[in-house]
Amino acid sequence: MSKTSRMTSLADLADIGRDAKRGGYSRHGFDRAELELREWFTAEARRRGLDLEADRNGNLWAWWGSPGPGAIVTGSHLDSVPGGGAFDGPLGVVSALEAVDALRTKGFTPSRPLAIVVFAEEEGGRFGVPCLGSRLLTGSIQPDAALNLTDPAGVSLAEAVSGAGLDPARFGRDDEALSRIGSFVELHVEQGKGLAVPVGVASSILAHGRWRFTFTGQGNHAGTTLIADRRDPMLPASQLVLAARRAAVGDARATVGRVVPSPGGTNVIASTVDVWLDARSPTGARDLVGQISEDARQAAEEEGCELVVREESYGDTVHFDPALRDQLAGVLGGVPTLPTGAGHDAGILAAHVSTAMLFVRNPTGISHAPEEYAEPDDCQAGVAALAAVLEHLAR
Ligand SMILES: [Zn+2]
């Protein structure tokens, strides 16, 4: 086992996948930046003498000890949203490497296999479906449905993974990989303003999903087409945005962050408008979207437009294993437990294995944006907490 002399930190990744146009980082599943980050992770794992393995679905595993059942697994993802921050994802991976270093420095040897996992395309920033790597692993998305997803340039997931040297024919539920996980603990930057102390433990994830609304009207000339003659899909599309805000009351959230009119000309009435709705609610996001869809459908009718609504992904409310949650909060000296509105691979894994999350304080409440931040001292507290948790679980 090689001793590590050089520290690993988030700063090592600072130059990979910077987005000059949007600010922050754009690192998407199997694109150049994400592949570079995978190479970085591979090198870091090898430097520590960890055995690196790519599973059938393009997730990376670095093993301390022989892969096998009852493994204690930690990790996160390396991809980002478009123009995202430095912490969402990479903090969990870097902290996992640092926690392993800390455990080795103190002479700890796990009595169970321990692994660091990097899940592929967690944000769905390229292929639209979040947590793609963990969904494929657990069978919560069918391989054909996943492999046929396309990015905005029309490249399919099958083509992208082939280009990265993976075999799409092997994609799909991986019972062997899944059965090895005894417990999964993901460390992640907290993404609201939910923590007043450096570290906390997650209790639940809001039900959430993504829907694509396609409004179809009649493309036409912006100057010669009388207002009375128009069937402009941008009208109901804008009503959808307003309906989403109206419907999101209490702890529900509804967001339109992406609108694509086609053909997209200044002097052209659009022929179609695609609008993506992200909806989350403690009472089940589908009810919320049903209500919003009704308003959108009525607005489409009034403008003589057609509307097709497709659900692109959905995840019900996740309650993390309460026994593990309480155990970890206890190991960490009674840190707070808190719910989150953000989705995570841990939320997908939770339906199959005992799963928990550690959150590191986000003092600004800003995430999925270049300004996302966590204090260096809080990040170090996160590493110490993760090391303590891994030691407790793997001893
Ligand atoms: Zn994340």
Side-chain angles (χ1 to χ4, degrees):
M1 232 167 267
S2 68
K3 247 209 142 69
T4 52
S5 50
R6 194 171 63 79
M7 297 265 284
T8 297
S9 80
L10 267 186
D12 299 349
L13 311 181
D15 294 331
I16 305 176
R18 276 194 184 277
D19 190 325
K21 203 169 141 207
R22 299 180 178 105
Y25 294 96
S26 289
R27 302 156 164 169
H28 305 312
F30 308 102
D31 74 359
R32 218 158 91 189
E34 205 245 8
L35 292 176
E36 200 179 324
L37 291 167
R38 285 164 174 269
E39 277 172 31
W40 162 84
F41 179 73
T42 301
E44 289 296 316
R46 297 226 162 105
R47 193 157 71 79
R48 289 168 172 81
L50 304 174
D51 289 326
L52 196 97
E53 169 196 285
D55 70 17
R56 288 169 32 201
N57 295 295
N59 307 304
L60 295 177
W61 301 74
W63 288 91
W64 181 5
S66 308
I72 304 306
V73 181
T74 184
S76 193
H77 60 97
L78 292 170
D79 66 309
S80 74
V81 295
F87 296 85
D88 179 352
L91 182 66
V93 177
V94 167
S95 299
L97 291 165
E98 288 186 272
V100 165
D101 292 346
L103 291 175
R104 285 176 166 181
T105 300
K106 71 181 282 194
F108 174 74
T109 307
S111 59
R112 293 152 160 264
L114 200 152
I116 303 173
V117 64
V118 172
F119 285 113
E121 178 78 341
E122 190 273 343
E123 301 288 4
R126 181 170 179 191
F127 295 102
V129 174
C131 302
L132 204 47
S134 55
R135 280 181 204 269
L136 279 160
L137 169 75
T138 56
S140 68
I141 187 170
Q142 291 305 308
D144 285 351
L147 290 163
N148 285 322
L149 293 170
T150 52
D151 72 5
V155 177
S156 70
L157 177 66
E159 289 166 337
V161 300
S162 299
L166 294 160
D167 180 4
R170 300 190 68 231
F171 271 48
R173 182 176 165 118
D174 188 344
D175 284 312
E176 197 192 327
L178 196 55
S179 69
R180 298 184 308 205
I181 309 174
S183 301
F184 177 59
V185 181
E186 178 171 1
L187 177 145
H188 204 279
V189 65
E190 203 275 326
Q191 293 171 281
K193 277 187 283 190
L195 267 179
V197 294
V199 174
V201 176
S203 54
S204 61
I205 293 180
L206 267 187
H208 63 285
R210 297 178 182 190
W211 287 261
R212 178 180 181 162
F213 288 68
T214 302
F215 296 95
T216 304
Q218 176 60 57
N220 215 331
H221 195 292
T224 60
T225 315
L226 299 178
I227 294 293
D229 292 342
R230 296 183 183 202
R231 291 168 50 223
D232 182 349
M234 193 56 88
L235 272 290
S238 58
Q239 290 301 317
L240 165 60
V241 178
L242 300 173
R245 171 58 70 90
R246 271 197 309 273
V249 294
D251 280 330
R253 288 124 212 214
T255 307
V256 173
R258 188 173 165 214
V259 177
V260 179
S262 179
T266 303
N267 56 351
V268 182
I269 297 166
S271 55
T272 66
V273 179
D274 281 308
V275 183
W276 281 263
L277 173 70
D278 175 306
R280 311 179 189 225
S281 169
T283 54
R286 281 177 173 138
D287 294 353
L288 181 67
V289 173
Q291 193 185 331
I292 296 168
S293 300
E294 237 168 76
D295 289 357
R297 204 168 292 283
Q298 196 184 328
E301 242 169 64
E302 280 166 18
E303 185 69 12
C305 294
E306 261 112 64
L307 168 61
V308 175
V309 184
R310 274 164 292 207
E311 183 178 283
E312 294 197 334
S313 68
Y314 188 72
D316 241 322
T317 303
V318 172
H319 296 283
F320 290 111
D321 180 354
L324 183 62
R325 176 199 69 202
D326 293 345
Q327 201 182 340
L328 300 198
V331 168
L332 301 176
V335 297
T337 61
L338 66 160
T340 180
H344 298 286
D345 293 307
I348 303 295
L349 272 273
H352 304 269
V353 296
S354 175
T355 300
M357 290 191 78
L358 300 182
F359 284 140
V360 171
R361 171 165 57 185
N362 170 22
T364 59
I366 296 174
S367 186
H368 282 186
E371 294 80 10
E372 182 180 83
Y373 186 67
E375 294 286 352
D377 284 353
D378 288 357
C379 293
Q380 278 316 304
V383 171
L386 183 60
V389 160
L390 295 178
E391 182 176 3
H392 173 80
L393 295 173
R395 70 179 172 210

